[in-house]
Amino acid sequence: MLRQTRSNKVTSSLKESSGTKRKNIDLENLPSPPSSPRRKTIKPALPETPKNVRNITRELQLAQLKSPSNSSIYLKTKSINEKENLYQKAKTVFRRTAIPSRLIGRENERTQMMNFWKTHVLQNQAGCLYISGMPGTGKTAMLTEVMRLVEDDVMALRTHTVKTVVVNCMSVKEPKQIYAKLVEELRPTAKTPIQSDVVKQAEELMNAKKNVLNVVILDEIDSLITKDQDVLYKIFEWASLPTSQLVLIGIANALDLTDRILPRLRAKNCEPQLLNFNPYQVSEISSIIKDRLFSLVEDPQNPFGPAPKPTQGTTPPLIMPMAIEFCARKVASSMGDLRTALDVCRQAIELAEMDYKKKNSSTSVLGEQKSNTSSVVTPVPIVTVAHVSRVLNIVFGNSNVQRLKELNLQQKIVLGVILIMIRSSTTKANKKDVLTVGKFREQYSALCSDKSTAITAVSRTELSDLLSLLETQSILTLGKSKEDRTRKIQLNVQESEIIQMINSMPFLKDWMDGVVEKSGF
């Protein structure tokens, strides 16, 4: 097209300057003008954030200025909903699934676990470790932390390579299926078939190469208990063979598991190293809560670095120190389950958030903007002892009726959906099959997605949090299963008590009546 245009221009120029004679010249014999190289069509690249740029918006918000007195002032952009955002961040760090940047306490257990890892994994020596403790005592979290700390040392090994396999024993339907599961994880390729003698195949794969050490971590290992304990004996014996290339780490809640199998293991010189996690003490629970609260604070000298560590005399943000102490003492005296303490703090933050919204609901937008322009480095502790006490009364005290009455609206909706599922089933067997986490999620989404009602569905993560909180309050129990969606839901309160709770709220009762009428239950 470019060549043709330029030829036309040359032709018209020649015609104008040469007169009539030139009109008869054969244009085809004219030398063609030099053509410009054809340009390659370059598709515009999609906008992409450079890899070396992180949180640029946040960086701009933390602009450092110099005051006349040469002191540094850190300005943070204040939004109208800053307080609400703080509540959301706080509730996030107190989720059970939240991974902290550092683990507080458990120094003795950390040292023993680190020494075992260095002695056996880094030195290419077979061995076995049995970790026991009640739920919520930090067994799996500490093992994960130790594995993260020695990751660089494992990668730098030149004498051997380490292959780590983690299996939750709840994922197998019966104990003997653990052999096939190990073969699936240890076989060289996915195409390697599982042989008929799967026990022998699993043992051969574990000792196939002398320069490869297999680290097998079996969580919930007490699920492999059988009448004759043959499966557990076999696996522990593999780690004790002279030519073994297996480091076995078993994790379980049962404290007496080794008492049942130790005599025979000791007779065969297969006794594992034992490490028990005791329930958390008051000081440990208090330190962990404070550390998670301080993770909400940014270090003005390094806003993108880790949160500053709490120091002696420093007031933690958001929750009053007396409220933290009250929560820690109550949980430590009951069971020492850290997950319960985290759930209590999260629910107390929700109560404080509700109080804050009620207090500021009548405030004008202008008033909110004025109040938010003040620069505050650490938030004022607004979760009081009263908030924590209300939650603890729900978790540890009061009757079922009173506990149901203290629930928030979303928790009551969850129980309403469960009640509908129970009433829709016809037989007892059907009730057990219907009440699973997966089917509950489907039913919840279907009933709460109607835009004509004022009820809105929460996200999947928030729905899981609601179930966990209800389990903490002993209102329901979530069973164990290989997949989260197949976990059974069991109510610990009477259906009549749930109905009484629903009838006490006209708004919730009208919604339930409408759902039942539309669905035809």
Side-chain angles (χ1 to χ4, degrees), residues 400-412:
N400 289 341
V401 176
Q402 186 63 28
R403 280 188 291 167
L404 293 173
K405 185 179 178 181
E406 296 290 338
L407 298 177
N408 61 37
L409 177 60
Q410 290 295 341
Q411 290 172 326
K412 292 179 180 178

Side-chain angles (χ1 to χ4, degrees), residues 179-325:
Y179 301 122
K181 188 71 176 177
L182 292 174
V183 170
E184 290 178 4
E185 298 290 341
L186 294 170
R187 58 186 175 181
T189 62
K191 295 182 179 180
T192 303
I194 299 178
Q195 301 172 6
S196 57
D197 192 351
V198 67
V199 179
K200 183 179 179 181
Q201 184 182 11
E203 183 178 356
E204 290 176 349
L205 285 173
M206 289 182 185
N207 304 312
K209 298 179 180 178
K210 292 300 178 183
N211 62 342
V212 177
L213 184 69
N214 296 294
V215 179
V216 177
I217 302 172
L218 298 180
D219 200 1
E220 307 282 357
I221 195 173
D222 47 346
S223 301
L224 303 181
I225 293 176
T226 56
K227 187 176 181 180
D228 55 0
Q229 311 294 3
D230 183 60
V231 177
L232 286 174
Y233 288 136
K234 180 71 68 176
I235 295 176
F236 276 107
E237 286 173 6
W238 283 347
S240 304
L241 295 174
T243 59
S244 176
Q245 287 296 108
L246 170 64
V247 171
L248 176 66
I249 301 177
I251 307 173
N253 299 329
L255 301 178
D256 62 338
L257 178 62
T258 51
D259 295 336
R260 284 178 273 173
I261 66 173
L262 264 182
R264 182 173 164 184
L265 290 176
R266 190 180 291 113
K268 292 190 174 185
N269 198 22
C270 303
E271 184 177 356
Q273 181 177 334
L274 305 180
L275 178 59
N276 182 49
F277 279 66
N278 294 316
Y280 279 103
Q281 301 300 314
V282 176
S283 58
E284 294 174 319
I285 296 176
S286 179
S287 298
I288 292 171
I289 294 174
K290 290 178 182 179
D291 185 73
R292 297 214 177 192
L293 288 173
F294 274 102
S295 68
L296 303 173
V297 182
E298 295 169 352
D299 185 358
Q301 302 299 328
N302 185 17
F304 302 104
K309 293 184 178 181
T311 56
Q312 187 70 25
T314 306
T315 303
L318 197 60
I319 302 181
M320 294 180 66
M322 290 185 64
I324 297 174
E325 185 75 10

